[in-house]
Amino acid sequence: MSAALALERTAPLYQRVKSVIPPIEWPVFADDIDAILALKRSRNAVILAHNYMTPEIFHCVADIVGDSLALAREAMKADAEVIVLAGVHFMAETAKLLNPGKTVLIPDLEAGCSLASSITAADVRLMREKHPGVPVVTYVNSSADVKAESDICCTSANAKKIVESLGTDTVIMLPDEYLAQNIAAKTDVKIIAWAGHCEVHERFTAAEVRALRTDYPGVTILAHPECPPEVIKEADYTGSTSDMSNYVGREKPARVVLLTECSMADNVSVNHPQVNFVRPCNLCPHMKRITLPKIRRSLETMTHQVTIDPALAARARRAVERMLAV
Ligand code: SF4
């Protein structure tokens, strides 16, 4: 495939992302994008991309984009034989749980998550021993092993609804301590938390938010609920990545800050060129392991296939499906 041909074929895609990708960088991406689009057809594959993927992945090769909940839902509907998960490992596991008969690929096996790795299945069993009879609500940012020990899953978008759906006065909520504290502030249900943190969101501080307000008068500040509670208190709005994206589309703030992973503002800004994005952000090193060359290689070699022990998968699937039914 000649480089010139790849450039010609991908030219319409570049028009979409030219506000966030300089022209000098595009030739580096064009060949991989052209090859990936051809591979998707020949492999009957779809690419599911999280909101934290870089724009050349998010806007140029992905078939389905969104937050963890959206990807889990769409993974269920995907009728392709192969799913490539452009995101981190627990997301690929969730896609596999919901599509046991399909081939699910993750382009880099090392794409992990500080939150997911903060807790093990044995830890969940210990929490249950310590709090007998208290249901366990587990954030989808967790391994299949941990989901299998849980009563139900939640995402940052539906956590309050899930906690309140159980009809108990206390729940155990794992593994994100700040998400648990932020939900506890909004519900009468008592929440027992685990001390796991997202290494991207835990770094935002209230002082940083106050400085943004001073430096950019009138700015609208949106925060992800994995941020510490003192950051949430200073923000104008709290929501999942999809909620933030919808907020920008709905409210069209003149100037906005998204307190979340760096690529999110790039991806949202492509669809809202009239909005001015202030971009203080923290990079997720795990998400950034997924690149176009790795997606291409994943489809060429059909690696790395995600496998989960069927008995464990059945238990983990029950927790995810129970969430999707709420
Ligand atoms: S952004 Fe945070 S929660 Fe998401 S994958 Fe990275 S470390 Fe995990």
Side-chain angles (χ1 to χ4, degrees), residues 50 52 88 90-91 112-116 139 141 197-201 226 261 284-287:
H50 189 265
Y52 296 160
V88 295
F90 72 79
M91 295 175 179
C113 168
S114 66
L115 201 46
Y139 192 26
N141 295 24
H197 299 138
C198 161
E199 67 186 87
V200 170
H201 294 102
E226 290 168 16
E261 210 274 341
C284 175
H286 312 289
M287 290 281 182

mmCIF file with all atom_site columns, all heavy atoms in Angstrom, residues 50 52 88 90-91 112-116 139 141 197-201 226 261 284-287, ligand 1:
data_model
loop_
_atom_site.group_PDB
_atom_site.id
_atom_site.type_symbol
_atom_site.label_atom_id
_atom_site.label_alt_id
_atom_site.label_comp_id
_atom_site.label_asym_id
_atom_site.label_entity_id
_atom_site.label_seq_id
_atom_site.pdbx_PDB_ins_code
_atom_site.Cartn_x
_atom_site.Cartn_y
_atom_site.Cartn_z
_atom_site.occupancy
_atom_site.B_iso_or_equiv
_atom_site.pdbx_formal_charge
_atom_site.auth_seq_id
_atom_site.auth_comp_id
_atom_site.auth_asym_id
_atom_site.auth_atom_id
_atom_site.pdbx_PDB_model_num
ATOM   1   N  N   . HIS A 1 50  ? -12.442 3.838  23.962 1.00 0.00 ? 50  HIS A N   1
ATOM   2   C  CA  . HIS A 1 50  ? -12.807 4.646  25.118 1.00 0.00 ? 50  HIS A CA  1
ATOM   3   C  C   . HIS A 1 50  ? -12.543 6.125  24.834 1.00 0.00 ? 50  HIS A C   1
ATOM   4   O  O   . HIS A 1 50  ? -11.713 6.463  23.985 1.00 0.00 ? 50  HIS A O   1
ATOM   5   C  CB  . HIS A 1 50  ? -12.001 4.189  26.351 1.00 0.00 ? 50  HIS A CB  1
ATOM   6   C  CG  . HIS A 1 50  ? -12.472 4.825  27.614 1.00 0.00 ? 50  HIS A CG  1
ATOM   7   N  ND1 . HIS A 1 50  ? -11.888 5.964  28.122 1.00 0.00 ? 50  HIS A ND1 1
ATOM   8   C  CD2 . HIS A 1 50  ? -13.497 4.512  28.453 1.00 0.00 ? 50  HIS A CD2 1
ATOM   9   C  CE1 . HIS A 1 50  ? -12.532 6.306  29.245 1.00 0.00 ? 50  HIS A CE1 1
ATOM   10  N  NE2 . HIS A 1 50  ? -13.506 5.448  29.468 1.00 0.00 ? 50  HIS A NE2 1
ATOM   11  N  N   . TYR A 1 52  ? -10.826 8.140  26.250 1.00 0.00 ? 52  TYR A N   1
ATOM   12  C  CA  . TYR A 1 52  ? -9.458  8.581  26.520 1.00 0.00 ? 52  TYR A CA  1
ATOM   13  C  C   . TYR A 1 52  ? -8.469  8.161  25.431 1.00 0.00 ? 52  TYR A C   1
ATOM   14  O  O   . TYR A 1 52  ? -7.256  8.367  25.580 1.00 0.00 ? 52  TYR A O   1
ATOM   15  C  CB  . TYR A 1 52  ? -8.959  8.018  27.858 1.00 0.00 ? 52  TYR A CB  1
ATOM   16  C  CG  . TYR A 1 52  ? -9.724  8.494  29.073 1.00 0.00 ? 52  TYR A CG  1
ATOM   17  C  CD1 . TYR A 1 52  ? -9.676  7.781  30.264 1.00 0.00 ? 52  TYR A CD1 1
ATOM   18  C  CD2 . TYR A 1 52  ? -10.483 9.658  29.042 1.00 0.00 ? 52  TYR A CD2 1
ATOM   19  C  CE1 . TYR A 1 52  ? -10.367 8.210  31.387 1.00 0.00 ? 52  TYR A CE1 1
ATOM   20  C  CE2 . TYR A 1 52  ? -11.180 10.085 30.153 1.00 0.00 ? 52  TYR A CE2 1
ATOM   21  C  CZ  . TYR A 1 52  ? -11.119 9.373  31.324 1.00 0.00 ? 52  TYR A CZ  1
ATOM   22  O  OH  . TYR A 1 52  ? -11.801 9.788  32.433 1.00 0.00 ? 52  TYR A OH  1
ATOM   23  N  N   . VAL A 1 88  ? -8.424  -0.121 28.143 1.00 0.00 ? 88  VAL A N   1
ATOM   24  C  CA  . VAL A 1 88  ? -7.562  -0.910 29.032 1.00 0.00 ? 88  VAL A CA  1
ATOM   25  C  C   . VAL A 1 88  ? -8.140  -2.306 29.276 1.00 0.00 ? 88  VAL A C   1
ATOM   26  O  O   . VAL A 1 88  ? -9.252  -2.619 28.852 1.00 0.00 ? 88  VAL A O   1
ATOM   27  C  CB  . VAL A 1 88  ? -7.285  -0.166 30.353 1.00 0.00 ? 88  VAL A CB  1
ATOM   28  C  CG1 . VAL A 1 88  ? -6.469  1.090  30.072 1.00 0.00 ? 88  VAL A CG1 1
ATOM   29  C  CG2 . VAL A 1 88  ? -8.565  0.162  31.095 1.00 0.00 ? 88  VAL A CG2 1
ATOM   30  N  N   . PHE A 1 90  ? -9.421  -4.174 31.693 1.00 0.00 ? 90  PHE A N   1
ATOM   31  C  CA  . PHE A 1 90  ? -10.708 -4.546 32.287 1.00 0.00 ? 90  PHE A CA  1
ATOM   32  C  C   . PHE A 1 90  ? -11.851 -4.286 31.305 1.00 0.00 ? 90  PHE A C   1
ATOM   33  O  O   . PHE A 1 90  ? -12.883 -4.949 31.349 1.00 0.00 ? 90  PHE A O   1
ATOM   34  C  CB  . PHE A 1 90  ? -10.938 -3.835 33.635 1.00 0.00 ? 90  PHE A CB  1
ATOM   35  C  CG  . PHE A 1 90  ? -11.240 -2.362 33.539 1.00 0.00 ? 90  PHE A CG  1
ATOM   36  C  CD1 . PHE A 1 90  ? -12.515 -1.916 33.203 1.00 0.00 ? 90  PHE A CD1 1
ATOM   37  C  CD2 . PHE A 1 90  ? -10.264 -1.420 33.803 1.00 0.00 ? 90  PHE A CD2 1
ATOM   38  C  CE1 . PHE A 1 90  ? -12.799 -0.556 33.118 1.00 0.00 ? 90  PHE A CE1 1
ATOM   39  C  CE2 . PHE A 1 90  ? -10.544 -0.065 33.727 1.00 0.00 ? 90  PHE A CE2 1
ATOM   40  C  CZ  . PHE A 1 90  ? -11.810 0.365  33.377 1.00 0.00 ? 90  PHE A CZ  1
ATOM   41  N  N   . MET A 1 91  ? -11.675 -3.331 30.413 1.00 0.00 ? 91  MET A N   1
ATOM   42  C  CA  . MET A 1 91  ? -12.716 -3.050 29.418 1.00 0.00 ? 91  MET A CA  1
ATOM   43  C  C   . MET A 1 91  ? -12.803 -4.193 28.405 1.00 0.00 ? 91  MET A C   1
ATOM   44  O  O   . MET A 1 91  ? -13.892 -4.589 27.986 1.00 0.00 ? 91  MET A O   1
ATOM   45  C  CB  . MET A 1 91  ? -12.415 -1.736 28.685 1.00 0.00 ? 91  MET A CB  1
ATOM   46  C  CG  . MET A 1 91  ? -12.470 -0.547 29.593 1.00 0.00 ? 91  MET A CG  1
ATOM   47  S  SD  . MET A 1 91  ? -11.988 0.955  28.754 1.00 0.00 ? 91  MET A SD  1
ATOM   48  C  CE  . MET A 1 91  ? -12.206 2.107  30.107 1.00 0.00 ? 91  MET A CE  1
ATOM   49  N  N   . GLY A 1 112 ? -3.137  -1.622 31.688 1.00 0.00 ? 112 GLY A N   1
ATOM   50  C  CA  . GLY A 1 112 ? -3.841  -1.956 32.932 1.00 0.00 ? 112 GLY A CA  1
ATOM   51  C  C   . GLY A 1 112 ? -4.582  -0.762 33.496 1.00 0.00 ? 112 GLY A C   1
ATOM   52  O  O   . GLY A 1 112 ? -5.082  0.082  32.755 1.00 0.00 ? 112 GLY A O   1
ATOM   53  N  N   . CYS A 1 113 ? -4.654  -0.683 34.818 1.00 0.00 ? 113 CYS A N   1
ATOM   54  C  CA  . CYS A 1 113 ? -5.394  0.407  35.459 1.00 0.00 ? 113 CYS A CA  1
ATOM   55  C  C   . CYS A 1 113 ? -5.043  0.395  36.941 1.00 0.00 ? 113 CYS A C   1
ATOM   56  O  O   . CYS A 1 113 ? -5.136  -0.651 37.590 1.00 0.00 ? 113 CYS A O   1
ATOM   57  C  CB  . CYS A 1 113 ? -6.890  0.184  35.257 1.00 0.00 ? 113 CYS A CB  1
ATOM   58  S  SG  . CYS A 1 113 ? -7.934  1.248  36.257 1.00 0.00 ? 113 CYS A SG  1
ATOM   59  N  N   . SER A 1 114 ? -4.664  1.562  37.480 1.00 0.00 ? 114 SER A N   1
ATOM   60  C  CA  . SER A 1 114 ? -4.271  1.615  38.898 1.00 0.00 ? 114 SER A CA  1
ATOM   61  C  C   . SER A 1 114 ? -5.450  1.245  39.800 1.00 0.00 ? 114 SER A C   1
ATOM   62  O  O   . SER A 1 114 ? -5.268  0.644  40.855 1.00 0.00 ? 114 SER A O   1
ATOM   63  C  CB  . SER A 1 114 ? -3.785  3.019  39.253 1.00 0.00 ? 114 SER A CB  1
ATOM   64  O  OG  . SER A 1 114 ? -4.837  3.956  39.165 1.00 0.00 ? 114 SER A OG  1
ATOM   65  N  N   . LEU A 1 115 ? -6.634  1.582  39.350 1.00 0.00 ? 115 LEU A N   1
ATOM   66  C  CA  . LEU A 1 115 ? -7.821  1.313  40.152 1.00 0.00 ? 115 LEU A CA  1
ATOM   67  C  C   . LEU A 1 115 ? -8.123  -0.189 40.153 1.00 0.00 ? 115 LEU A C   1
ATOM   68  O  O   . LEU A 1 115 ? -8.335  -0.799 41.206 1.00 0.00 ? 115 LEU A O   1
ATOM   69  C  CB  . LEU A 1 115 ? -8.986  2.094  39.516 1.00 0.00 ? 115 LEU A CB  1
ATOM   70  C  CG  . LEU A 1 115 ? -10.202 2.418  40.336 1.00 0.00 ? 115 LEU A CG  1
ATOM   71  C  CD1 . LEU A 1 115 ? -9.829  2.966  41.702 1.00 0.00 ? 115 LEU A CD1 1
ATOM   72  C  CD2 . LEU A 1 115 ? -11.045 3.428  39.559 1.00 0.00 ? 115 LEU A CD2 1
ATOM   73  N  N   . ALA A 1 116 ? -8.136  -0.769 38.962 1.00 0.00 ? 116 ALA A N   1
ATOM   74  C  CA  . ALA A 1 116 ? -8.451  -2.198 38.862 1.00 0.00 ? 116 ALA A CA  1
ATOM   75  C  C   . ALA A 1 116 ? -7.424  -3.029 39.633 1.00 0.00 ? 116 ALA A C   1
ATOM   76  O  O   . ALA A 1 116 ? -7.773  -4.045 40.251 1.00 0.00 ? 116 ALA A O   1
ATOM   77  C  CB  . ALA A 1 116 ? -8.486  -2.616 37.387 1.00 0.00 ? 116 ALA A CB  1
ATOM   78  N  N   . TYR A 1 139 ? -17.417 -1.127 40.870 1.00 0.00 ? 139 TYR A N   1
ATOM   79  C  CA  . TYR A 1 139 ? -17.214 -0.262 39.693 1.00 0.00 ? 139 TYR A CA  1
ATOM   80  C  C   . TYR A 1 139 ? -16.683 -1.139 38.549 1.00 0.00 ? 139 TYR A C   1
ATOM   81  O  O   . TYR A 1 139 ? -15.868 -2.042 38.786 1.00 0.00 ? 139 TYR A O   1
ATOM   82  C  CB  . TYR A 1 139 ? -16.185 0.784  40.121 1.00 0.00 ? 139 TYR A CB  1
ATOM   83  C  CG  . TYR A 1 139 ? -15.969 1.969  39.229 1.00 0.00 ? 139 TYR A CG  1
ATOM   84  C  CD1 . TYR A 1 139 ? -16.943 2.448  38.366 1.00 0.00 ? 139 TYR A CD1 1
ATOM   85  C  CD2 . TYR A 1 139 ? -14.757 2.660  39.290 1.00 0.00 ? 139 TYR A CD2 1
ATOM   86  C  CE1 . TYR A 1 139 ? -16.713 3.568  37.585 1.00 0.00 ? 139 TYR A CE1 1
ATOM   87  C  CE2 . TYR A 1 139 ? -14.522 3.781  38.517 1.00 0.00 ? 139 TYR A CE2 1
ATOM   88  C  CZ  . TYR A 1 139 ? -15.504 4.225  37.658 1.00 0.00 ? 139 TYR A CZ  1
ATOM   89  O  OH  . TYR A 1 139 ? -15.272 5.325  36.887 1.00 0.00 ? 139 TYR A OH  1
ATOM   90  N  N   . ASN A 1 141 ? -14.507 -0.591 36.567 1.00 0.00 ? 141 ASN A N   1
ATOM   91  C  CA  . ASN A 1 141 ? -13.044 -0.494 36.480 1.00 0.00 ? 141 ASN A CA  1
ATOM   92  C  C   . ASN A 1 141 ? -12.427 -1.501 37.456 1.00 0.00 ? 141 ASN A C   1
ATOM   93  O  O   . ASN A 1 141 ? -11.822 -1.136 38.470 1.00 0.00 ? 141 ASN A O   1
ATOM   94  C  CB  . ASN A 1 141 ? -12.582 0.914  36.836 1.00 0.00 ? 141 ASN A CB  1
ATOM   95  C  CG  . ASN A 1 141 ? -13.069 1.950  35.851 1.00 0.00 ? 141 ASN A CG  1
ATOM   96  O  OD1 . ASN A 1 141 ? -14.079 1.745  35.175 1.00 0.00 ? 141 ASN A OD1 1
ATOM   97  N  ND2 . ASN A 1 141 ? -12.371 3.056  35.766 1.00 0.00 ? 141 ASN A ND2 1
ATOM   98  N  N   . HIS A 1 197 ? -7.612  4.144  44.041 1.00 0.00 ? 197 HIS A N   1
ATOM   99  C  CA  . HIS A 1 197 ? -7.711  5.455  43.384 1.00 0.00 ? 197 HIS A CA  1
ATOM   100 C  C   . HIS A 1 197 ? -7.296  5.349  41.920 1.00 0.00 ? 197 HIS A C   1
ATOM   101 O  O   . HIS A 1 197 ? -6.439  4.524  41.569 1.00 0.00 ? 197 HIS A O   1
ATOM   102 C  CB  . HIS A 1 197 ? -6.801  6.483  44.064 1.00 0.00 ? 197 HIS A CB  1
ATOM   103 C  CG  . HIS A 1 197 ? -7.136  6.722  45.502 1.00 0.00 ? 197 HIS A CG  1
ATOM   104 N  ND1 . HIS A 1 197 ? -6.190  6.847  46.481 1.00 0.00 ? 197 HIS A ND1 1
ATOM   105 C  CD2 . HIS A 1 197 ? -8.335  6.841  46.124 1.00 0.00 ? 197 HIS A CD2 1
ATOM   106 C  CE1 . HIS A 1 197 ? -6.777  7.041  47.652 1.00 0.00 ? 197 HIS A CE1 1
ATOM   107 N  NE2 . HIS A 1 197 ? -8.077  7.029  47.464 1.00 0.00 ? 197 HIS A NE2 1
ATOM   108 N  N   . CYS A 1 198 ? -7.878  6.221  41.118 1.00 0.00 ? 198 CYS A N   1
ATOM   109 C  CA  . CYS A 1 198 ? -7.425  6.360  39.728 1.00 0.00 ? 198 CYS A CA  1
ATOM   110 C  C   . CYS A 1 198 ? -6.234  7.307  39.738 1.00 0.00 ? 198 CYS A C   1
ATOM   111 O  O   . CYS A 1 198 ? -6.344  8.438  40.226 1.00 0.00 ? 198 CYS A O   1
ATOM   112 C  CB  . CYS A 1 198 ? -8.554  6.931  38.866 1.00 0.00 ? 198 CYS A CB  1
ATOM   113 S  SG  . CYS A 1 198 ? -7.941  7.635  37.338 1.00 0.00 ? 198 CYS A SG  1
ATOM   114 N  N   . GLU A 1 199 ? -5.124  6.863  39.171 1.00 0.00 ? 199 GLU A N   1
ATOM   115 C  CA  . GLU A 1 199 ? -3.916  7.691  39.239 1.00 0.00 ? 199 GLU A CA  1
ATOM   116 C  C   . GLU A 1 199 ? -4.013  8.961  38.391 1.00 0.00 ? 199 GLU A C   1
ATOM   117 O  O   . GLU A 1 199 ? -3.198  9.869  38.546 1.00 0.00 ? 199 GLU A O   1
ATOM   118 C  CB  . GLU A 1 199 ? -2.686  6.865  38.836 1.00 0.00 ? 199 GLU A CB  1
ATOM   119 C  CG  . GLU A 1 199 ? -2.664  6.451  37.383 1.00 0.00 ? 199 GLU A CG  1
ATOM   120 C  CD  . GLU A 1 199 ? -1.498  5.517  37.092 1.00 0.00 ? 199 GLU A CD  1
ATOM   121 O  OE1 . GLU A 1 199 ? -1.679  4.297  37.283 1.00 0.00 ? 199 GLU A OE1 1
ATOM   122 O  OE2 . GLU A 1 199 ? -0.438  5.996  36.681 1.00 0.00 ? 199 GLU A OE2 1
ATOM   123 N  N   . VAL A 1 200 ? -4.996  9.029  37.510 1.00 0.00 ? 200 VAL A N   1
ATOM   124 C  CA  . VAL A 1 200 ? -5.207  10.238 36.710 1.00 0.00 ? 200 VAL A CA  1
ATOM   125 C  C   . VAL A 1 200 ? -6.014  11.264 37.507 1.00 0.00 ? 200 VAL A C   1
ATOM   126 O  O   . VAL A 1 200 ? -5.615  12.428 37.642 1.00 0.00 ? 200 VAL A O   1
ATOM   127 C  CB  . VAL A 1 200 ? -5.964  9.886  35.399 1.00 0.00 ? 200 VAL A CB  1
ATOM   128 C  CG1 . VAL A 1 200 ? -6.417  11.144 34.665 1.00 0.00 ? 200 VAL A CG1 1
ATOM   129 C  CG2 . VAL A 1 200 ? -5.078  9.031  34.516 1.00 0.00 ? 200 VAL A CG2 1
ATOM   130 N  N   . HIS A 1 201 ? -7.134  10.833 38.059 1.00 0.00 ? 201 HIS A N   1
ATOM   131 C  CA  . HIS A 1 201 ? -8.050  11.786 38.704 1.00 0.00 ? 201 HIS A CA  1
ATOM   132 C  C   . HIS A 1 201 ? -7.629  12.163 40.124 1.00 0.00 ? 201 HIS A C   1
ATOM   133 O  O   . HIS A 1 201 ? -7.964  13.236 40.595 1.00 0.00 ? 201 HIS A O   1
ATOM   134 C  CB  . HIS A 1 201 ? -9.470  11.210 38.685 1.00 0.00 ? 201 HIS A CB  1
ATOM   135 C  CG  . HIS A 1 201 ? -10.010 11.095 37.296 1.00 0.00 ? 201 HIS A CG  1
ATOM   136 N  ND1 . HIS A 1 201 ? -10.058 9.898  36.616 1.00 0.00 ? 201 HIS A ND1 1
ATOM   137 C  CD2 . HIS A 1 201 ? -10.468 12.042 36.449 1.00 0.00 ? 201 HIS A CD2 1
ATOM   138 C  CE1 . HIS A 1 201 ? -10.545 10.111 35.398 1.00 0.00 ? 201 HIS A CE1 1
ATOM   139 N  NE2 . HIS A 1 201 ? -10.797 11.404 35.271 1.00 0.00 ? 201 HIS A NE2 1
ATOM   140 N  N   . GLU A 1 226 ? -14.253 10.391 39.811 1.00 0.00 ? 226 GLU A N   1
ATOM   141 C  CA  . GLU A 1 226 ? -13.081 9.728  40.411 1.00 0.00 ? 226 GLU A CA  1
ATOM   142 C  C   . GLU A 1 226 ? -12.128 10.755 41.025 1.00 0.00 ? 226 GLU A C   1
ATOM   143 O  O   . GLU A 1 226 ? -11.113 10.385 41.625 1.00 0.00 ? 226 GLU A O   1
ATOM   144 C  CB  . GLU A 1 226 ? -12.329 8.899  39.365 1.00 0.00 ? 226 GLU A CB  1
ATOM   145 C  CG  . GLU A 1 226 ? -13.079 7.659  38.922 1.00 0.00 ? 226 GLU A CG  1
ATOM   146 C  CD  . GLU A 1 226 ? -12.469 7.015  37.684 1.00 0.00 ? 226 GLU A CD  1
ATOM   147 O  OE1 . GLU A 1 226 ? -11.319 7.338  37.339 1.00 0.00 ? 226 GLU A OE1 1
ATOM   148 O  OE2 . GLU A 1 226 ? -13.160 6.199  37.047 1.00 0.00 ? 226 GLU A OE2 1
ATOM   149 N  N   . GLU A 1 261 ? -8.830  12.849 31.880 1.00 0.00 ? 261 GLU A N   1
ATOM   150 C  CA  . GLU A 1 261 ? -7.650  12.462 31.099 1.00 0.00 ? 261 GLU A CA  1
ATOM   151 C  C   . GLU A 1 261 ? -7.479  13.389 29.888 1.00 0.00 ? 261 GLU A C   1
ATOM   152 O  O   . GLU A 1 261 ? -8.464  13.884 29.323 1.00 0.00 ? 261 GLU A O   1
ATOM   153 C  CB  . GLU A 1 261 ? -7.821  11.000 30.647 1.00 0.00 ? 261 GLU A CB  1
ATOM   154 C  CG  . GLU A 1 261 ? -6.530  10.233 30.492 1.00 0.00 ? 261 GLU A CG  1
ATOM   155 C  CD  . GLU A 1 261 ? -5.871  10.382 29.147 1.00 0.00 ? 261 GLU A CD  1
ATOM   156 O  OE1 . GLU A 1 261 ? -6.560  10.789 28.189 1.00 0.00 ? 261 GLU A OE1 1
ATOM   157 O  OE2 . GLU A 1 261 ? -4.668  10.100 29.043 1.00 0.00 ? 261 GLU A OE2 1
ATOM   158 N  N   . CYS A 1 284 ? -3.200  9.295  31.254 1.00 0.00 ? 284 CYS A N   1
ATOM   159 C  CA  . CYS A 1 284 ? -3.271  7.910  31.754 1.00 0.00 ? 284 CYS A CA  1
ATOM   160 C  C   . CYS A 1 284 ? -2.243  7.077  30.987 1.00 0.00 ? 284 CYS A C   1
ATOM   161 O  O   . CYS A 1 284 ? -2.405  6.838  29.790 1.00 0.00 ? 284 CYS A O   1
ATOM   162 C  CB  . CYS A 1 284 ? -4.657  7.309  31.554 1.00 0.00 ? 284 CYS A CB  1
ATOM   163 S  SG  . CYS A 1 284 ? -4.663  5.566  32.058 1.00 0.00 ? 284 CYS A SG  1
ATOM   164 N  N   . PRO A 1 285 ? -1.184  6.623  31.670 1.00 0.00 ? 285 PRO A N   1
ATOM   165 C  CA  . PRO A 1 285 ? -0.139  5.879  30.958 1.00 0.00 ? 285 PRO A CA  1
ATOM   166 C  C   . PRO A 1 285 ? -0.643  4.544  30.418 1.00 0.00 ? 285 PRO A C   1
ATOM   167 O  O   . PRO A 1 285 ? -0.079  4.020  29.457 1.00 0.00 ? 285 PRO A O   1
ATOM   168 C  CB  . PRO A 1 285 ? 0.936   5.665  32.036 1.00 0.00 ? 285 PRO A CB  1
ATOM   169 C  CG  . PRO A 1 285 ? 0.213   5.774  33.343 1.00 0.00 ? 285 PRO A CG  1
ATOM   170 C  CD  . PRO A 1 285 ? -0.921  6.724  33.116 1.00 0.00 ? 285 PRO A CD  1
ATOM   171 N  N   . HIS A 1 286 ? -1.695  4.029  31.029 1.00 0.00 ? 286 HIS A N   1
ATOM   172 C  CA  . HIS A 1 286 ? -2.237  2.733  30.575 1.00 0.00 ? 286 HIS A CA  1
ATOM   173 C  C   . HIS A 1 286 ? -3.016  2.905  29.271 1.00 0.00 ? 286 HIS A C   1
ATOM   174 O  O   . HIS A 1 286 ? -2.827  2.147  28.317 1.00 0.00 ? 286 HIS A O   1
ATOM   175 C  CB  . HIS A 1 286 ? -3.145  2.139  31.660 1.00 0.00 ? 286 HIS A CB  1
ATOM   176 C  CG  . HIS A 1 286 ? -2.521  2.166  33.013 1.00 0.00 ? 286 HIS A CG  1
ATOM   177 N  ND1 . HIS A 1 286 ? -1.467  1.349  33.338 1.00 0.00 ? 286 HIS A ND1 1
ATOM   178 C  CD2 . HIS A 1 286 ? -2.758  2.933  34.102 1.00 0.00 ? 286 HIS A CD2 1
ATOM   179 C  CE1 . HIS A 1 286 ? -1.101  1.614  34.587 1.00 0.00 ? 286 HIS A CE1 1
ATOM   180 N  NE2 . HIS A 1 286 ? -1.869  2.567  35.069 1.00 0.00 ? 286 HIS A NE2 1
ATOM   181 N  N   . MET A 1 287 ? -3.867  3.913  29.240 1.00 0.00 ? 287 MET A N   1
ATOM   182 C  CA  . MET A 1 287 ? -4.630  4.180  28.012 1.00 0.00 ? 287 MET A CA  1
ATOM   183 C  C   . MET A 1 287 ? -3.675  4.499  26.857 1.00 0.00 ? 287 MET A C   1
ATOM   184 O  O   . MET A 1 287 ? -3.916  4.115  25.712 1.00 0.00 ? 287 MET A O   1
ATOM   185 C  CB  . MET A 1 287 ? -5.578  5.369  28.226 1.00 0.00 ? 287 MET A CB  1
ATOM   186 C  CG  . MET A 1 287 ? -6.740  5.081  29.151 1.00 0.00 ? 287 MET A CG  1
ATOM   187 S  SD  . MET A 1 287 ? -8.025  4.181  28.276 1.00 0.00 ? 287 MET A SD  1
ATOM   188 C  CE  . MET A 1 287 ? -9.254  4.052  29.582 1.00 0.00 ? 287 MET A CE  1
HETATM 189 S  S1  . SF4 B 2 .   ? -7.849  6.800  33.669 1.00 0.00 ? 1   SF4 B S1  1
HETATM 190 FE FE1 . SF4 B 2 .   ? -7.725  5.986  35.766 1.00 0.00 ? 1   SF4 B FE1 1
HETATM 191 S  S2  . SF4 B 2 .   ? -9.436  4.529  35.892 1.00 0.00 ? 1   SF4 B S2  1
HETATM 192 FE FE2 . SF4 B 2 .   ? -9.067  4.941  33.702 1.00 0.00 ? 1   SF4 B FE2 1
HETATM 193 S  S3  . SF4 B 2 .   ? -7.638  3.321  33.049 1.00 0.00 ? 1   SF4 B S3  1
HETATM 194 FE FE3 . SF4 B 2 .   ? -6.377  5.101  33.633 1.00 0.00 ? 1   SF4 B FE3 1
HETATM 195 S  S4  . SF4 B 2 .   ? -5.860  4.681  35.773 1.00 0.00 ? 1   SF4 B S4  1
HETATM 196 FE FE4 . SF4 B 2 .   ? -7.599  3.361  35.294 1.00 0.00 ? 1   SF4 B FE4 1
#
